[in-house]
Amino acid sequence: MLIILGVLVLFEDSLERQLHSISQNQVDSNAWKVAQLIEETDPAKTQEFIKEAENLKYRTALFRNGRVVGGADDEHMEDLAEFFQSEEYHDGQTEVFTFLNATIVGKYFANEEIYIAEVHSADWGGKALSLNSAFYMFLGVVFLAGIAAIAVLLLLASFFTRRMNRVVMEPLEQLVEGAEWIKSGNLKENIRYQGEAEFEHVCETFNEMQHTILEDQRQREKTEKARTDMITGISHDLRTPLTSIRGYIKGVLDGVADTEEKRKRYLETAYESTEEMNQLLRKLFDFSRMESGQMPFHMIKADLAEYAASYVAQKEVTADPRKLKFHFHKKEELIAEVRFDIEQVRRILDNLLENSMKYAMVEPVEIDITVAETESEIKLEWKDNGNGVPEEKLGRIFERFYRCDESRQKKGSGVGLYVTDYIMKQHGGSAKAENEDGLKIILTFPKGENDMTAGE
């Protein structure tokens, strides 16, 4: 607006002349008659000429050196005098032109140094004045329009500033408040914001993060409690064989076992207790290596069915048939070649056997081992003839430190099946449990190459 006003003021005179030029009327129709009269006029007979010109509605003025020296001498003629002062005169030449919205017929007489001008104007200078008024009115309108535009812009800026303050600052303040809640340990309060979709998404993401932190905190508390319970339980489980070992060895030393047969029985019982302790400590050691990522895997390609059959044969040699029986099943033509770690798979089978012996609650415990294949997998099914697991607990038996026997009437650490699940995942497979006239554990091995090849 300032640039426009500056240009208008700077070029006011030029613009005014242009406006005047645009607004000029056509030459009066009687101008050529008056021109003929001036052409024939003798300066000595001007009075007769003036009368004839007045009949044609022309006024006569005599100019010399930019001044009116005869005829009409009002202010409008004085304005014309300034024009004729700046013009170059052509001696004896009659001129017809328009100026200031008037038709002018003039002639210069060099001998007398006088310019005779006949001027016809119905409204002398009126249009010039109106143009001047219109020009300044235009400037005023531009100025007022600029002021109004600035006022509108300021109002809009104020409106949008308040709106942006509400749209942006409100969710930001709620996010800051939410961060303060987290800092103070309060993870249950959610941010409640409704407004712009983008900020709603940010607040919802913040709430989800808070829920994740809360869930992780609960899980850590739960895990810590389970870890504490495990340590307490293992301490209790270790105390029993230690007490047994101590008692039977002391019985041998004190001479309570006074026969060779008694001493042998005492020592065998103590040895069995040391084996029980060794199993507990081995599980703790395996769990520690697994948690630290230091459990080694050495994968080889072998027939899983043959390995399982060999495992069953070894166990049957030492097992009491009154307490444990095995049944092994596979199709004769099946070649169940997969990549697996022999030591880790043995650890899985030992954990499953121990689990069945403790919780089947029948005698003898009968173990059915079946090796089968699908298009892309080899499955090893381990099934006992026990009472199974309550359905509400079936989905949790592979969790860390979880024990179905919450009363701890049976010895156990709660990590055996967790280790089993971990080892199967490292083989690229899975472990699943279901009830089928007892507890069935389904181990699935992929036929293709798995990820554990680095240890070969």
Side-chain angles (χ1 to χ4, degrees), residues 306-453:
E306 287 187 3
Y307 180 79
S310 175
Y311 177 84
V312 169
Q314 291 176 9
K315 292 298 179 181
E316 284 180 332
V317 172
T318 58
D320 185 349
R322 294 172 299 177
K323 296 181 179 180
L324 177 63
K325 292 182 179 180
F326 285 96
H327 305 282
F328 181 75
H329 311 278
K330 86 173 186 71
K331 292 182 179 180
E332 292 183 2
E333 67 276 12
L334 175 62
I335 301 177
E337 284 194 346
V338 292
R339 297 177 63 83
F340 64 95
D341 184 310
I342 293 176
E343 181 181 348
Q344 300 296 351
V345 170
R346 184 178 185 85
R347 183 173 283 114
I348 289 176
L349 299 178
D350 286 342
N351 287 341
L352 296 180
L353 178 59
E354 180 184 354
N355 192 73
S356 295
M357 294 300 293
K358 284 182 180 179
Y359 301 108
M361 306 297 291
V362 294
E363 191 170 313
V365 175
E366 295 189 14
I367 304 296
D368 287 284
I369 298 178
T370 304
V371 179
E373 70 173 338
T374 64
E375 184 176 346
S376 59
E377 298 171 334
I378 298 294
K379 291 186 177 182
L380 188 152
E381 297 180 356
W382 179 287
K383 178 184 174 301
D384 62 38
N385 61 334
N387 298 323
V389 175
E391 289 295 332
E392 66 274 11
K393 298 181 179 181
L394 191 61
R396 300 188 59 191
I397 64 174
F398 293 106
E399 292 182 8
R400 180 170 47 182
F401 308 136
Y402 183 76
R403 296 185 60 178
C404 295
D405 178 25
E406 297 175 355
S407 63
R408 302 195 63 88
Q409 294 179 357
K410 297 289 184 180
K411 297 178 182 179
S413 59
V415 298
L417 292 181
Y418 173 69
V419 170
T420 297
D421 184 62
Y422 174 84
I423 294 173
M424 288 305 302
K425 287 179 179 177
Q426 295 302 305
H427 280 77
S430 63
K432 185 175 70 172
E434 59 184 45
N435 286 317
E436 185 182 307
D437 297 327
L439 178 63
K440 178 193 286 187
I441 304 294
I442 303 172
L443 307 178
T444 303
F445 294 83
K447 283 184 178 180
E449 297 291 323
N450 52 44
D451 296 333
M452 294 299 297
T453 59

Side-chain angles (χ1 to χ4, degrees), residues 60-289:
T60 305
L62 303 177
F63 301 104
R64 178 182 289 137
N65 297 327
R67 297 176 58 192
V68 179
V69 295
D73 58 354
D74 54 29
E75 60 176 339
H76 304 299
M77 291 302 182
E78 291 178 357
D79 292 339
L80 281 174
E82 294 180 3
F83 171 76
F84 288 114
Q85 184 180 10
S86 62
E87 290 291 321
E88 294 182 0
Y89 304 129
H90 302 282
D91 184 26
Q93 183 178 347
T94 301
E95 300 174 322
V96 180
F97 58 93
T98 60
F99 182 72
L100 293 178
N101 211 35
T103 300
I104 300 174
V105 182
K107 185 177 181 181
Y108 180 66
F109 296 92
N111 293 334
E112 289 80 7
E113 295 184 352
I114 193 169
Y115 192 95
I116 298 176
E118 295 296 331
V119 181
H120 171 77
S121 176
D123 182 16
W124 177 261
K127 290 189 178 180
L129 292 173
S130 65
L131 286 171
N132 287 335
S133 299
F135 176 74
Y136 289 110
M137 183 178 294
F138 172 73
L139 291 180
V141 169
V142 170
F143 181 76
L144 292 176
I147 294 296
I150 291 174
V152 170
L153 288 174
L154 289 175
L155 289 174
L156 289 175
S158 176
F159 170 76
F160 283 110
T161 299
R162 289 196 299 270
R163 187 175 184 274
M164 289 300 294
N165 184 65
R166 177 180 60 81
V167 170
V168 176
M169 295 308 298
E170 181 181 350
L172 285 180
E173 290 174 357
Q174 293 196 22
L175 287 171
V176 170
E177 186 178 3
E180 291 294 331
W181 291 340
I182 294 176
K183 184 179 178 181
S184 63
N186 182 3
L187 298 173
K188 297 181 180 179
E189 293 290 339
N190 289 331
I191 295 176
R192 294 177 176 84
Y193 170 78
Q194 291 183 343
E196 297 297 321
E198 294 82 359
F199 288 106
E200 281 188 4
H201 178 67
V202 172
C203 292
E204 288 173 2
T205 303
F206 186 91
N207 289 336
E208 291 174 2
M209 177 195 71
Q210 185 171 279
H211 294 159
T212 301
I213 294 173
L214 179 60
E215 187 61 30
D216 184 63
Q217 186 183 69
R218 289 172 176 170
Q219 186 61 38
R220 285 201 308 270
E221 292 174 355
K222 182 179 178 182
T223 301
E224 188 60 32
K225 182 179 182 303
R227 191 190 301 271
T228 303
D229 292 343
M230 183 197 73
I231 294 173
T232 302
I234 289 178
S235 300
H236 176 270
D237 292 343
L238 286 173
R239 187 179 297 113
T240 301
L242 278 174
T243 303
S244 176
I245 292 170
R246 182 180 179 182
Y248 282 105
I249 292 177
K250 185 173 177 57
V252 173
L253 294 175
D254 292 346
V256 176
D258 52 1
T259 65
E260 187 64 29
E261 184 180 354
K262 275 189 177 183
R263 282 194 294 271
K264 183 179 179 181
R265 189 170 64 250
Y266 276 31
L267 291 175
E268 286 177 350
T269 304
Y271 177 78
E272 291 175 358
S273 297
T274 61
E275 283 296 310
E276 186 178 335
M277 288 179 60
N278 183 57
Q279 289 182 4
L280 286 171
L281 293 174
R282 180 175 54 81
K283 286 184 180 179
L284 284 176
F285 181 64
D286 290 343
F287 176 76
S288 175
R289 288 196 301 171

